[in-house]
Amino acid sequence: MRIGLIGTGRIGSFHAGVLSRHPSVDALVVTDTDPARAAEVAHRTGAGAVGSATEVFGAGVDAVVIASATAAHAELIGRAARAGLPAFCEKPVALDLAGTLDALRVTQEAGSVLQLGFMRRFDAGYTAARAAVRGGELGRLHTVRTVTSDPAPPPAAYLPLSGGLYRDCLIHDFDMVRWVTGREVRRVYATGSDGGPPMFREAGDVDTAAALLTLDDGTLVTATATRCNGAGYDVRMELAGELDQIAVGLDDRTPLTSAEPQGPAAPAKPWPGFLERFAPAYEAELDAFVRLVRGEAANPCDGREALHALRVAEACEVSRRERRPVELSEIPGA
């Protein structure tokens, strides 16, 4: 199999390494808006480097992996669909709802395949939590708490291109709430703080956010995120039911210190970032994509699944801006 990779930044470079080692991938062709970066990744992984996405599409590839800047996702998804090439794309599909809906329409009309990169669906902890909830081990689920905390803010230039904290970061938590519980979000109430570095205010974004979600069965969910967690990279999900409660992301590297005298000490080696924390999940999702292209497996996360999570993020943005609860029925694309 010959795969084209568009974008060789932090996540694209990681994907290049995974794909170059995959036993079913015979050749890898990479490109980036920074030719030197693409050349370095190609040299390191044994891939071939070309000068543009157009050259990737013309290189006889069997599928494409899109890890470019978010603003280019929708166009590249459309090009892949029209070329009849299965595509894997990092989330989100587009920076806004209209662009997302248009890209999904093009994909559907072309009868093409699109897998979105929600890697937490392939994490062992989230998979076990899903099985426990769906298997009734917790009894009636009444409370869910999610946490996503980055150890340091991204570069200032990234913020205006990111879509904001809800769309860029919390969208993973919104996807996990749906995927783990099997329920839909009915209502949100969200707020945020821009008290951190000035670049967040300049970008119209927030550095810390919280949202209260009500699911369609009445389960309550609190979802929090921040770009300023100096202790390390912290991603957790707690699920409480009438019979039991469990936690995802609670291990000896969780950057959390107990204040209790007999509590566990601070971790010796806290998680430094998402690539280290979710490396096995990233590898598993690309393996799933390769098997999807080969016709050996179903799509584990198509565009419609991504749309559901984006609609929750959009509702949170409306709620934060207008300072009111927002029903998901208010957000187009259902």
Side-chain angles (χ1 to χ4, degrees):
M1 181 184 299
R2 187 176 177 84
I3 290 185
L5 171 66
I6 303 173
T8 57
R10 182 165 51 167
I11 189 62
S13 175
F14 184 89
H15 287 338
V18 173
L19 291 168
S20 69
R21 297 189 299 270
H22 198 286
S24 296
V25 177
D26 304 307
L28 180 65
V29 181
V30 305
T31 192
D32 194 274
T33 53
D34 182 344
R37 187 164 63 185
E40 187 280 325
V41 169
H43 176 74
R44 176 167 50 81
T45 62
V50 296
S52 68
T54 297
E55 291 181 63
V56 169
F57 284 111
V61 297
D62 300 298
V64 294
V65 171
I66 301 168
S68 61
T70 299
H73 285 185
E75 178 195 358
L76 293 170
I77 288 170
R79 291 180 67 177
R82 287 187 288 271
L85 292 174
F88 172 94
C89 184
E90 282 299 327
K91 61 81 195 165
V93 172
L95 283 173
D96 58 20
L97 193 57
T100 298
L101 291 171
D102 186 60
L104 297 184
R105 176 187 57 79
V106 171
T107 300
Q108 183 176 13
E109 290 177 354
S112 190
V113 171
L114 172 63
Q115 179 183 330
L116 263 293
F118 282 102
M119 77 292 184
R120 295 186 194 182
R121 292 180 176 225
F122 298 88
D123 178 74
Y126 285 104
T127 300
R130 186 177 195 260
V133 172
R134 303 293 184 95
E137 294 177 25
L138 307 187
R140 182 186 68 86
L141 191 66
H142 53 74
T143 307
V144 179
R145 294 175 286 272
T146 76
V147 175
T148 294
S149 300
D150 290 333
Y158 173 77
L159 292 178
L161 307 175
S162 70
L165 190 59
Y166 293 104
R167 300 185 190 94
D168 180 56
C169 186
L170 274 164
I171 195 168
H172 282 290
D173 297 274
F174 301 151
D175 181 62
M176 280 300 93
V177 168
R178 296 184 61 254
W179 190 75
V180 169
T181 69
R183 313 303 307 191
E184 298 294 342
V185 177
R186 186 177 67 197
R187 181 186 308 112
V188 310
Y189 187 73
T191 188
S193 167
D194 60 4
M199 63 182 183
F200 290 98
R201 292 184 290 279
E202 293 165 1
D205 196 6
V206 294
D207 60 74
T208 302
L212 173 63
L213 317 178
T214 303
L215 305 189
D216 57 11
D217 65 346
T219 300
L220 297 181
V221 180
T222 59
T224 64
T226 184
R227 302 284 197 187
C228 306
N229 190 56
Y233 182 69
D234 187 11
V235 170
R236 283 175 284 124
M237 183 183 219
E238 300 171 5
L239 301 113
E242 291 184 333
L243 299 181
D244 201 359
Q245 62 178 345
I246 57 176
V248 178
L250 187 61
D251 58 24
D252 61 0
R253 299 190 68 181
T254 303
L256 185 67
T257 303
S258 174
E260 298 297 331
Q262 303 303 317
K269 190 178 180 182
W271 292 109
F274 64 90
L275 283 178
E276 294 83 2
R277 166 67 177 84
F278 288 110
Y282 279 117
E283 295 196 23
E285 72 173 357
L286 284 180
D287 177 67
F289 178 62
V290 170
R291 289 187 289 113
L292 172 63
V293 174
R294 288 168 60 90
E296 299 170 353
N299 193 336
C301 186
D302 64 19
R304 298 298 300 183
E305 290 291 293
L307 176 61
H308 288 304
L310 177 61
R311 290 180 65 243
V312 178
E314 291 287 331
C316 286
E317 283 289 2
V318 173
S319 178
R320 178 178 74 89
R321 185 172 61 249
E322 300 182 3
R323 299 184 180 183
R324 66 176 180 87
V326 174
E327 302 289 329
L328 261 291
S329 58
E330 300 179 44
I331 308 301

